[in-house]
Amino acid sequence: MTPQPPSSQQDKALLGLVLVATLMFALVLWPLVGALSWAVFLAVVFAPLQERVATRLGGRRGWAALATLALIVVSVLLPVALLSGGVAHDAAAFYSRLKSGDFSFAEAFQQVVAVLPEWARSGLSRLGIEDLAALQGKLAEALGRSSSAVTQRVFVIGQGTLAFVVNFFVMLYLLFFFLRDGRSLAAGVEKALPLSPQHTRRVAKEFVTVVRATVKGHVVVALIQGTLGWLAFWFLDINSPLLWGAAMAVLSFVPAVGAALVWAPVAVYLVATGSLWAGIGLALWGVLVIGLVDNVLRPILVGKGTRMPDWLVLVATLGGLAVFGLQGFVLGPVVAAIFIAAWEIFADSRG
């Protein structure tokens, strides 16, 4: 009979095999990390709906997953696609106006500075912004570099259209199975993780809580603030309202100021150029409507499950976007939450 190696050696060999296999599998999946991530995120967010539909259909989880997937496509993915097309159209139109000289940031800045009180102009002078002609040249140069960067980015996106379509359908395919088999997959992961059951449940709870809080709370609030900003700009007949609404949606993640980084300068510009009531109306709309959405809706949608402060959510989101791309929008806060939970578990285990 062949002698068996000690159990410790077997454990080390098994652990090494698991680590190598996991690393190789991660390398295989890396080109599809975006599709895989968004399939997991959407499955987590819509899992309660999947369970309700499955109950209505008598436990037929396959048909329930198909119905939930169809609802996600119609209510979420198609509107996002249409909105992205509109934003891209507005961005192209705005870029054309910049390139043709119909609009100049330097001229707009000059008009605003001209109506500022003396103390404000003195402050700008102390900051080195006293030569408006030189400032205009710097702005034009910066816009030229930005325009070149945008052109290159559009070219890269055009080249990646086929890859985007492939990833989109892979995401839908995976999402169906995650919705249908989510319970069994979660149970398998919980069983395989080398943690005690209570620690595993704690980490899983943090993951689910942050994913739902990020997607339901932050994304929904961003979309509502962007829509309100778009309505205001459209009503005031400001060019490219969809583009500015999208900018407000993105900047709504910045604590305290958020969408005001867009509508406040525009309100000042309107007042400076003689549109007094339009500027005052935009400022009131921004403070009383767009600003209150964040204070009222975010606590309701996010709830008290996530304990991360706003500054950590912002830093984790920006870092996640830099490292993982678009899916880092959710992955960043998730990694931060699991980091906090892991250290808390470690501290608790040491008494």
Side-chain angles (χ1 to χ4, degrees), residues 12 32 82 100 121 125 176 183 187 198 263 268 275 323 340:
K12 291 179 181 178
L32 299 173
L82 294 174
S100 64
R121 288 199 294 269
S125 177
F176 170 80
R183 282 182 173 180
Q198 64 268 25
W263 62 257
V268 173
S275 302
V323 175
I340 294 173

Side-chain angles (χ1 to χ4, degrees), residues 80-122:
V80 168
L82 294 174
L83 179 62
S84 300
V87 171
H89 179 269
D90 270 15
F94 183 70
Y95 172 71
S96 298
R97 293 183 64 229
L98 285 177
K99 192 174 181 180
S100 64
D102 289 343
F103 179 80
S104 170
F105 280 116
E107 292 178 4
F109 180 79
Q110 203 166 8
Q111 289 177 312
V112 172
V113 171
V115 299
L116 290 177
E118 182 60 33
W119 62 267
R121 288 199 294 269
S122 300

Side-chain angles (χ1 to χ4, degrees), residues 167-187:
N167 276 272
F168 179 76
F169 283 102
V170 169
M171 185 269 291
L172 292 180
Y173 182 77
L174 292 173
L175 179 56
F176 170 80
F177 289 102
F178 289 161
L179 289 170
R180 191 190 69 177
D181 306 325
R183 282 182 173 180
S184 58
L185 289 173

Side-chain angles (χ1 to χ4, degrees), residues 254-281:
V254 180
V257 286
L261 291 172
V262 175
W263 62 257
V266 174
V268 173
Y269 173 77
L270 290 174
V271 172
T273 54
S275 302
L276 179 62
W277 293 112
I280 293 175

